[in-house]
Amino acid sequence: VVACDENLSPELRLKLVAQIASASGTTKGMVAGQQLDLEAEGQTISIEELENIHARKTGALISISAIAGALIAGASAAEISAVELYASKIGLLFQITDDLLDVTQATETLGKTAGKDAVAEKATYPGHFGIDATREMADNVRREAAAALDSIDRDTGLLLEFADLIADRSK
């Protein structure tokens, strides 16, 4: 049975709206991550700073999407923690893959300008580690995302497929 908005309690609706706003916002959400990303252009930043930028940008929105689904499904606190870890890894995997595609694919394949990160002097995973090490990192993060779901005693097949889709995308 698919839950519609009308079937959600007012408390859960309020919790979801608050968490979505936080994930989008200027403190620890997407807007904050985008600002940090712009400030980092042309700068040398640490890998920790790079991970922080991406955790706030892509990672925050992917995480709240996954957590919202878990909350709506009535997941336990332990399941929500597992989904949160999974989603943080998926956000990281998305960004690593995006960085790789920017340096390894042609503009025609990507549907956007290839190499734009280098032109903008953005900090990227291939820029820090090189292409081969970044590919290895992506494989490790994909495995970590899958492992985060091991403690959930429900069908997580679709989430595992999503991890594969993110890692194997070409655009």
Side-chain angles (χ1 to χ4, degrees), residues 44-68:
T44 300
I45 64 171
S46 70
I47 190 62
E48 292 81 15
E49 291 169 310
L50 181 60
E51 288 175 356
N52 182 42
I53 289 169
H54 298 310
R56 291 179 185 217
K57 280 178 46 176
T58 313
L61 294 181
I62 290 173
S63 289
I64 188 52
S65 299
I67 292 166

Side-chain angles (χ1 to χ4, degrees), residues 16 34-35 37 41-42 47 86 93 115 128 139 151 166 169:
L16 292 169
Q34 185 62 37
Q35 179 64 34
D37 193 24
E41 286 183 7
I47 190 62
Y86 160 83
L93 180 60
H128 270 278
D139 287 339
S151 65
I166 295 296
R169 69 192 176 103

